[in-house]
Amino acid sequence: MAQLHVVYGEVPELIEKKSEQLIEGYLVDEPKDDFNFVKYNLYDTEINIILEEAMTLPFFSNKKVVLVQNSYIFTGEKAPKDVQPNTDALLKFIENDKGDCLIIFQVNATKLDERKKIVKALKKHATIKKIEQFTEQEMKKWIQTQLHEQFKDIKQDALDTLIELTGIHYRIVQQELEKIQLFIGDRPTITKSDVQTIVNRSLEQNVFLLTDYIQKGQKDHAIRLMRDLVKLKEEPIKLLALITSNYRLYYQSKILSTKGYSGQQIAQTVGVHPYRVKLALQQARKYHLTQLLSIIDACAETDYKLKSSYMDSVLILELFILSIGQNFKQ
């Protein structure tokens, strides 16, 4: 029987890593090459072609791997324009195939659409693995492991600062870590100064910092940071959406925390990473619920102005920041 695997999650790099582990475990001592490995992208390949490949015996090899990227048909995502995926054929294959090919469907999504017949069939006949994002501690351990493999190390305060600037984003951390290693050259240890010199604060972390400035009444810092982000081509309406998301999370976290929910439980309930909840709880303690509701209302009003007013969008966002900063009572 074919070995069917579905690997899904939010981080493509981790999905790819898990897929490689499955492939290496299947091929064992046989190297992956053009004779035993075929890769498709479901966005631009017909399902029938993939199924035909899966049912064709391998040449010059005893095993075959078929990797299918962007397997959107298992989610609620609509098919690309002019594409009509033959899901009936795939459903029949899943339920009846007796081959021994390793087939891996990669899905870049947080969840599968369990209402679909094809997903129900997968749950019966395939191995489904959700790849979770790293926790804060897992990310720190991964960073240290990567550095140790290069015979390098990182000081604890430098590690904490790196996470503070990047958040728990695998790709961003990976890119910034590469930059730091190039910067330090032959030096064996990364310091906090190295991180502060090289690493750019992520957009998400910048918006968190902006709301922190607002809470502290540091309106000039908040305005300056907002203008810097606009100079970096971030649209005011996008920045407002991120600000709104933060305040909504503060509100949700504060309510659930008062009901006795742990940070992990809050993260599961509202569907965000635990690290974001950790930061949200730190901020939420500084607000009353009525203040948060008032700010969320102001966010909605500002969103309407940005979409309907003839005023300059940057000015609208500046006035919004000044107004909520003015209304917050220390």
Side-chain angles (χ1 to χ4, degrees):
M1 183 177 179
Q3 297 189 38
L4 293 173
H5 289 262
V6 178
V7 184
Y8 74 102
E10 293 183 76
V11 186
E13 293 83 359
L14 296 182
I15 291 174
E16 195 67 37
K17 183 177 180 181
K18 179 60 179 179
S19 299
E20 284 299 320
Q21 290 174 350
L22 290 172
I23 293 169
E24 289 175 6
Y26 173 75
L27 294 177
V28 193
D29 297 325
E30 189 175 328
K32 185 176 73 174
D33 55 33
D34 293 339
F35 296 111
N36 59 25
F37 176 76
V38 187
K39 179 167 65 177
Y40 293 105
N41 187 328
L42 201 54
Y43 282 147
D44 52 32
T45 306
E46 292 291 338
I47 288 176
N48 288 343
I49 294 175
I50 297 172
L51 297 182
E52 183 178 346
E53 181 67 54
M55 292 184 286
T56 302
L57 293 174
F59 292 102
F60 306 109
S61 176
N62 295 319
K63 297 179 178 180
K64 176 187 279 190
V65 177
V66 176
L67 178 67
V68 186
Q69 299 177 318
N70 295 311
S71 301
Y72 64 90
I73 55 174
F74 305 128
T75 72
E77 183 181 342
K78 293 183 179 179
K81 189 177 180 181
D82 300 326
V83 174
Q84 294 182 339
N86 190 351
T87 54
D88 289 339
L90 180 55
L91 177 62
K92 185 177 179 180
F93 175 85
I94 291 171
E95 294 177 333
N96 300 295
D97 184 65
K98 304 299 182 184
D100 58 2
C101 173
L102 172 63
I103 306 171
I104 302 173
F105 294 101
Q106 295 180 336
V107 185
N108 298 317
T110 57
K111 62 181 180 179
L112 306 180
D113 190 345
E114 298 193 5
R115 299 169 298 178
K116 292 185 173 183
K117 289 183 179 179
I118 199 165
V119 174
K120 293 177 180 177
L122 283 174
K123 293 178 73 174
K124 291 182 180 179
H125 302 282
T127 299
I128 301 176
K129 175 65 176 177
K130 182 176 182 179
I131 306 300
E132 301 286 356
Q133 295 189 61
F134 282 162
T135 65
E136 182 180 355
Q137 292 306 315
E138 286 172 339
M139 179 60 79
K140 288 181 176 180
K141 184 177 179 181
W142 178 83
I143 291 170
Q144 291 171 325
T145 299
Q146 294 296 111
L147 290 172
H148 291 167
E149 289 177 356
Q150 302 298 320
F151 304 101
K152 294 186 182 299
D153 201 358
I154 183 169
K155 291 187 175 181
Q156 187 61 49
D157 59 350
L159 183 58
D160 293 339
T161 302
L162 177 58
I163 296 300
E164 179 186 331
L165 293 172
T166 60
I168 311 297
H169 296 283
Y170 183 91
R171 184 181 300 174
I172 295 175
V173 172
Q174 186 180 46
Q175 291 172 346
E176 297 298 336
L177 198 58
E178 290 174 358
K179 286 163 55 179
I180 294 171
Q181 290 182 81
L182 287 173
F183 176 73
I184 67 171
D186 294 332
R187 262 198 297 124
T189 305
I190 297 171
T191 66
K192 182 177 179 179
S193 176
D194 296 327
V195 174
Q196 291 174 325
T197 301
I198 294 299
V199 177
N200 295 316
R201 189 181 294 271
S202 70
L203 176 59
E204 182 180 289
Q205 296 303 100
N206 265 318
V207 171
F208 174 80
L209 179 61
L210 191 152
T211 60
D212 187 49
Y213 285 151
I214 292 171
Q215 186 278 324
K216 292 176 179 176
Q218 298 175 337
K219 293 175 286 187
D220 53 341
H221 287 73
I223 293 295
R224 191 179 303 116
L225 176 55
M226 184 273 292
R227 289 174 178 170
D228 287 343
L229 292 174
V230 170
K231 288 179 182 177
L232 293 173
K233 307 301 182 183
E234 298 295 347
E235 293 291 334
I237 196 164
K238 179 181 178 181
L239 293 176
L240 177 65
L242 291 171
I243 292 169
T244 304
S245 175
N246 271 10
Y247 280 112
R248 188 178 295 117
L249 182 58
Y250 299 168
Y251 180 76
Q252 293 169 322
S253 298
K254 191 172 185 68
I255 287 180
L256 293 173
S257 178
T258 58
K259 292 183 178 180
Y261 282 57
S262 67
Q264 187 68 39
Q265 289 171 324
I266 294 172
Q268 292 173 349
T269 301
V270 301
V272 301
H273 195 281
Y275 185 71
R276 281 197 66 199
V277 172
K278 173 187 172 182
L279 298 181
L281 286 170
Q282 292 172 359
Q283 287 294 315
R285 297 188 191 100
K286 305 169 185 177
Y287 292 88
H288 298 299
L289 284 174
T290 52
Q291 289 174 322
L292 290 171
L293 280 174
S294 176
I295 292 173
I296 292 170
D297 286 341
C299 288
E301 292 174 7
T302 306
D303 180 71
Y304 177 77
K305 290 178 183 177
L306 284 172
K307 293 175 180 176
S308 61
S309 175
Y310 290 105
M311 288 177 61
D312 179 73
S313 59
V314 176
L315 177 59
I316 290 174
L317 193 56
E318 286 183 2
L319 292 173
F320 160 75
I321 291 171
L322 290 172
S323 68
I324 62 176
Q326 183 67 31
N327 292 334
F328 182 76
K329 296 179 181 180
Q330 295 293 330

